[in-house]
Amino acid sequence: MSKASKNSLLCTFLVLPDKQNRIDEQTRAYRVPARKDKPAAFDEVLAKIEDAKVQQILTKAPVIKSGYRAAISIAAVLAIVFLAQFFLFSQITFETHEKSISFRLPDKSRVVLGTNSTLNYPKYRWNKKLNLQGEAYFEVIKGQSFVVETGKGTVRVLGTRFTVAEIENLMKVGCYEGKVVFNKNNTEVIIPAGTSSFFEQGNLVKNEKLEVDYPNLAFFRGSYSDDDLQTVLSSLEDFFQVSIHLETRNPQTFSGQLETGSLKVALNIISESLKLDYKFETGENITIKEKPEELREEKKQNQPLYF
């Protein structure tokens, strides 16, 4: 074969398809078998055209630069860090000045926070650990573990009533029911019920016997003279952090003095003086009603007389 013939053959392979050839190729791309009916053939052609459009869009779609991708990644990390900080370190804080306050914790334990004191705990991850500055009285639900941390040591309890107070360079822990454990520098001291212990720099300084069932901080005090009973009960609700439902047909008033750290004692005084009955529906829900015998006597007196 001559050199001219070889060049002519090479050009035949390299020549680009003319306009007619391109039309023929596209026609073949969208051709469907003759055996298909017209609706099926039309749907198949539309599907092929749609696929071609999608491929064209993807080919021309802009590519996100690596710098933008890095910025998005950093923003996502910062958002995660912020949320972690928010959930891990958000605190519920109670603070007093000249007046003590009462409240309940997430596990229903009751706290009376003394004057000029602060108590806080995690907002979103309740772990039964409190941080206290000042003085507080605690009534922990029986069977519940509990930890109070202060700058002078840690107090660990299991279902009990106790007080913790920072007094200058001393820490005072009084146990009124059950027992508590004081811990400082890996040294533990068990404090039994009826004992008040004083610690200095983690060391036990002295023990004192408690002569009362409740500390002064935990006493409810009120003096009443023909006061509306619902007003009296509202004061008890606020101090003992309970809900009291009064179910009497007629308005009631109360006269007397209440000075006790026990809600049951206060309810006994009120109920006996007004001939009422009370019942704990749950730990924090109480119902007060007239005594059944009083209802029967009143019903008997109101019966019509027949001659």
Side-chain angles (χ1 to χ4, degrees):
M1 183 181 292
S2 64
K3 184 176 182 181
S5 298
K6 291 181 179 180
N7 290 337
S8 176
L9 182 60
L10 181 60
C11 290
T12 301
F13 284 99
L14 293 178
V15 67
L16 295 172
D18 58 17
K19 184 176 181 181
Q20 183 60 44
N21 290 336
R22 291 197 298 272
I23 292 174
D24 292 340
E25 289 175 359
Q26 292 178 1
T27 302
R28 286 194 298 271
Y30 297 111
R31 185 178 298 161
V32 296
R35 65 178 180 275
K36 292 193 175 181
D37 57 16
K38 291 182 179 180
F42 182 69
D43 291 340
E44 185 169 334
V45 170
L46 288 180
K48 290 185 177 183
I49 293 172
E50 189 64 29
D51 289 341
K53 289 181 178 180
V54 172
Q55 291 298 325
Q56 186 179 11
I57 292 172
L58 292 176
T59 303
K60 295 181 178 180
V63 179
I64 299 176
K65 294 182 179 180
S66 59
Y68 291 147
R69 289 199 297 268
I72 293 173
S73 299
I74 293 173
V77 171
L78 290 176
I80 293 172
V81 171
F82 172 78
L83 290 174
Q85 294 275 345
F86 180 77
F87 283 102
L88 292 177
F89 298 103
S90 294
Q91 298 281 311
I92 295 291
T93 300
F94 295 90
E95 185 175 6
T96 62
H97 297 286
E98 297 180 356
K99 186 179 179 180
S100 62
I101 60 173
S102 297
F103 54 91
R104 287 193 182 270
L105 299 170
D107 67 350
K108 303 302 182 181
S109 295
R110 175 170 166 257
V111 180
V112 182
L113 187 62
T115 58
N116 301 313
S117 300
T118 302
L119 183 146
N120 56 57
Y121 58 86
K123 183 176 182 179
Y124 295 105
R125 52 183 187 94
W126 168 245
N127 54 8
K128 299 181 182 179
K129 289 185 179 181
L130 310 174
N131 186 275
L132 172 68
Q133 293 178 336
E135 180 183 13
Y137 166 76
F138 300 88
E139 289 181 348
V140 180
I141 301 298
K142 290 183 178 181
Q144 298 286 337
S145 60
F146 207 80
V147 174
V148 180
E149 297 179 345
T150 75
K152 296 180 174 64
T154 300
V155 178
R156 178 168 49 84
V157 303
L158 181 63
T160 185
R161 298 189 296 108
F162 67 102
T163 55
V164 177
E166 295 179 311
I167 306 173
E168 296 180 351
N169 62 326
L170 296 177
M171 180 173 174
K172 179 182 178 181
V173 181
C175 183
Y176 294 84
E177 185 178 310
K179 66 180 180 181
V180 301
V181 178
F182 174 83
N183 184 287
K184 178 72 173 181
N185 299 328
N186 296 322
T187 300
E188 291 189 344
V189 178
I190 297 176
I191 305 170
T195 304
S196 182
S197 300
F198 295 79
F199 299 89
E200 184 175 8
Q201 296 182 352
N203 298 314
L204 178 63
V205 176
K206 64 176 180 177
N207 287 324
E208 289 182 351
K209 184 179 180 181
L210 292 172
E211 302 294 341
V212 293
D213 293 330
Y214 291 88
N216 186 60
L217 178 62
F219 266 77
F220 175 87
R221 294 177 175 85
S223 183
Y224 305 95
S225 177
D226 281 332
D227 286 284
D228 179 67
L229 179 57
Q230 188 60 65
T231 301
V232 179
L233 296 179
S234 295
S235 298
L236 291 174
E237 286 180 318
D238 184 61
F239 186 78
F240 290 100
Q241 289 294 293
V242 293
S243 179
I244 304 175
H245 307 279
L246 179 62
E247 298 180 3
T248 57
R249 290 170 299 171
N250 301 313
Q252 300 276 351
T253 60
F254 175 74
S255 296
Q257 187 166 344
L258 299 175
E259 187 170 348
T260 178
S262 169
L263 174 60
K264 289 184 178 181
V265 170
L267 292 175
N268 282 335
I269 293 172
I270 293 172
S271 297
E272 290 300 322
S273 64
L274 298 177
K275 297 181 180 180
L276 300 173
D277 267 343
Y278 71 89
K279 178 182 178 182
F280 279 83
E281 306 294 345
T282 64
E284 295 85 47
N285 289 280
I286 302 134
T287 301
I288 297 180
K289 299 180 180 180
E290 284 113 342
K291 287 186 177 181
E293 58 268 24
E294 296 298 322
L295 290 174
R296 288 196 297 269
E297 183 65 27
E298 184 175 341
K299 183 177 180 180
K300 182 178 179 181
Q301 292 177 356
N302 292 334
Q303 285 181 347
L305 298 177
Y306 297 95
F307 298 94

